[in-house]
Amino acid sequence: MSKWDHLWINARLATMREGAGAYGAIENAALADKAGRLVYAGPMRDLPGKTEALATRVIDAQNQWITPGLIDCHTHLVFAGNRAVEFEQRLKGASYEQIAKAGGGIMSTVRATRAVTEDELFTQSHARFNGLLSEGVTTVEIKSGYGLDLETEKRMLRVARRLGQETYARVTTTYLGLHALPPDSAAKRAAYVADMGGPILRAIADEGLADAVDAFCEGIAFTPDETAQFFAAASALGLKVKLHADQLSDTNGAALAARFRALSADHLEYTDAAGVAAMAKAGTVAVLLPGAFFTLRETRKPPVEALRRAKVPIAVATDCNPGTSPTVSLITTMNMACTLFGLTPEEALAGVTRNAARALGLAHETGSLEVGKAADYAVWPIGHPAELSYWIGGTHPSAIGRSAALASANTGSQ
Ligand code: DI6
Ligand code: FE
C-alpha cells in the first residue's frame, strides 16, 4: 500500500457526521488524507499500523480540534466598490427600500461593477475571498447579479470561477438572474424577465458558467410569478435553483422554492408554517443569513423552532454583499446565528459544514470528516468546538486541509 500524504495524530475531531452524537466528536483521534481525499478519520487506536509507516508526513495535532473545512453557501462576493455612504444614510434614518427606490442600493453596485475591467473586479473580489479563506473556509458559493446584462453577468461568473482556479478553495457559481430591475427596463418588466430567463440564461448555461440559479423574490424585487417563470426555464436546462425568500415580507417564497425542489431557500424571516412544511417535504435546506438581519436591524426572526421540529436542515452563511451584509467573516456570522437567532453552537457549526454542503448539492463531497470525501478540513487551536461560535470573529485555523493537499500536489510529493 502506498503511503498516505498527511496523517494528523493526537487530534480531536468534530466530524459533524449526521447522527454521530454532539459534533460527531472523536477524542484521541487521527485524520489522514491521500491525493486530496480523506482516507482515515477515527480513533488513534484503530490505525492500521505504526504512524511513520502509514504516511509521508505525520503531524502531531497536540490535541487541537479538526473540523470539516467551512463552507460559505451564500455570498455575493464578486462586486466593485462599496456602499459605505449608504451606510451613513441609513444611520441618519433612510431605509434600505428608500435608498433602493432613489436609484441607490443594488443599482449603485451595478454601476460600479459594470465600470471596472475583469482584472480589477478579480483583484477587488480576491481581497474579500482571502478574508473568508483565512477563517478556514474551503468552499464558497458566489452569485452574479450586479451585472443585469449578459456581458457583466458573465464577467462576474468568470471572476468567481477564477477565484476557485487560482486558490485552493472550491467555488460554486450561481446566476442570480432576477436581482433588481434596471431603471431603463422599468416599463418593460416582462421583457426583462423573459430576457434574463431566456437568451441570457441559455448563454450562461451553454458556457458552463453557472452551477445553479437564484432570484430575489420580494416586494422591492421580483414577484412569485416572475420567479416561477425563471425557475421553470432554469430547471428545463438542468440547473438547480436557490431562492432569496421571505426576507422582508411573506411572499410564500419558501413554498415556491420547495415547488421547484430548490437546493435551498435563504433568509426566511417571514416564512410561515406552510412554507416550513413544504421545505421539509422537498428536502430544501434553510439558509439563515444573520449578517443581513443585523445590518438592516430587522426584528422579525426566521422560524428556527419550526424548522427544527420539521427537521429542515439549517445552514448559515455570510451573504457577503456591499448593501446588506458587508462581512467576510463566517466565524462572526456563526456568533450572530447563535446570539440573534438562537442557534446552538453545534447547529451553527453544522450550518457552515454538513448543511451548507447540502445547500450546494455537495453533501457527497464535503461538509463532514468521512472517508472518501474531499480532504477539506481545518485545524483549530481551541479547547472546545463551541469556541468557533463563541468568539466574535478573530478565530483562525493553524492549518487547512485543502491547502495542504494542493501544496503536495504542486510539489509532486505523494
Ligand atoms: N439579497 C441580499 O441580501 C442582497 N441581494 C439580495 O437579493 C442585497 C444586495 C445589495 O443590497 O447589494
Ligand atoms: Fe443574498
Side-chain angles (χ1 to χ4, degrees), residues 77-80 120-130 159 163:
L77 180 133
V78 170
F79 60 84
E120 177 59 23
L121 190 58
F122 179 82
T123 302
Q124 291 192 25
S125 306
H126 193 223
R128 286 186 286 275
F129 198 72
N130 280 340
V159 165
L163 287 167

Side-chain angles (χ1 to χ4, degrees), residues 65-223:
W65 280 90
I66 306 181
T67 67
L70 306 189
I71 299 169
D72 194 350
C73 68
H74 179 141
T75 86
H76 309 249
L77 180 133
V78 170
F79 60 84
N82 68 66
R83 307 231 291 276
V85 171
E86 290 180 9
F87 176 60
E88 289 188 326
Q89 290 170 347
R90 282 209 313 274
L91 289 169
K92 289 188 191 137
S95 73
Y96 182 66
E97 284 93 336
Q98 282 166 346
I99 291 170
K101 287 205 174 105
I106 293 173
M107 281 317 297
S108 70
T109 300
V110 170
R111 287 189 293 273
T113 303
R114 285 179 178 172
V116 295
T117 64
E118 189 155 334
D119 278 340
E120 177 59 23
L121 190 58
F122 179 82
T123 302
Q124 291 192 25
S125 306
H126 193 223
R128 286 186 286 275
F129 198 72
N130 280 340
L132 284 180
L133 267 46
S134 75
E135 290 186 340
V137 171
T138 52
T139 302
V140 184
E141 184 260 12
I142 302 177
K143 302 175 197 298
S144 66
Y146 290 119
L148 314 187
D149 61 30
L150 176 63
E151 275 322 306
T152 321
E153 289 291 306
K154 286 205 306 194
R155 192 182 315 141
M156 291 183 72
L157 293 166
R158 283 196 301 267
V159 165
R161 286 267 193 250
R162 191 173 150 202
L163 287 167
Q165 284 149 7
E166 296 194 14
T167 66
Y168 57 75
R170 176 191 296 101
V171 168
T172 73
T173 58
T174 302
Y175 166 50
L176 176 48
L178 298 186
H179 195 194
L181 190 67
D184 54 7
S185 302
K188 301 167 280 187
R189 220 187 144 88
Y192 180 79
V193 172
D195 205 25
M196 296 310 271
I200 296 189
L201 170 68
R202 279 197 299 279
I204 285 171
D206 281 352
E207 289 187 39
L209 282 172
D211 301 311
V213 305
D214 194 347
F216 190 16
C217 183
E218 190 56 67
I220 55 168
F222 293 91
T223 67

Side-chain angles (χ1 to χ4, degrees), residues 256-308:
L256 174 64
R259 180 146 67 84
F260 284 90
R261 307 199 76 76
L263 285 172
S264 70
D266 305 30
H267 287 291
L268 306 178
E269 276 80 350
Y270 285 84
T271 298
D272 62 10
V276 172
M279 288 175 67
K281 210 160 156 228
T284 296
V285 175
V287 179
L288 306 188
L289 305 169
F293 175 92
F294 171 82
T295 301
L296 296 176
R297 290 188 285 180
E298 295 289 333
T299 51
R300 168 89 174 224
K301 299 183 189 189
V304 169
E305 193 45 46
L307 292 167
R308 281 186 187 125

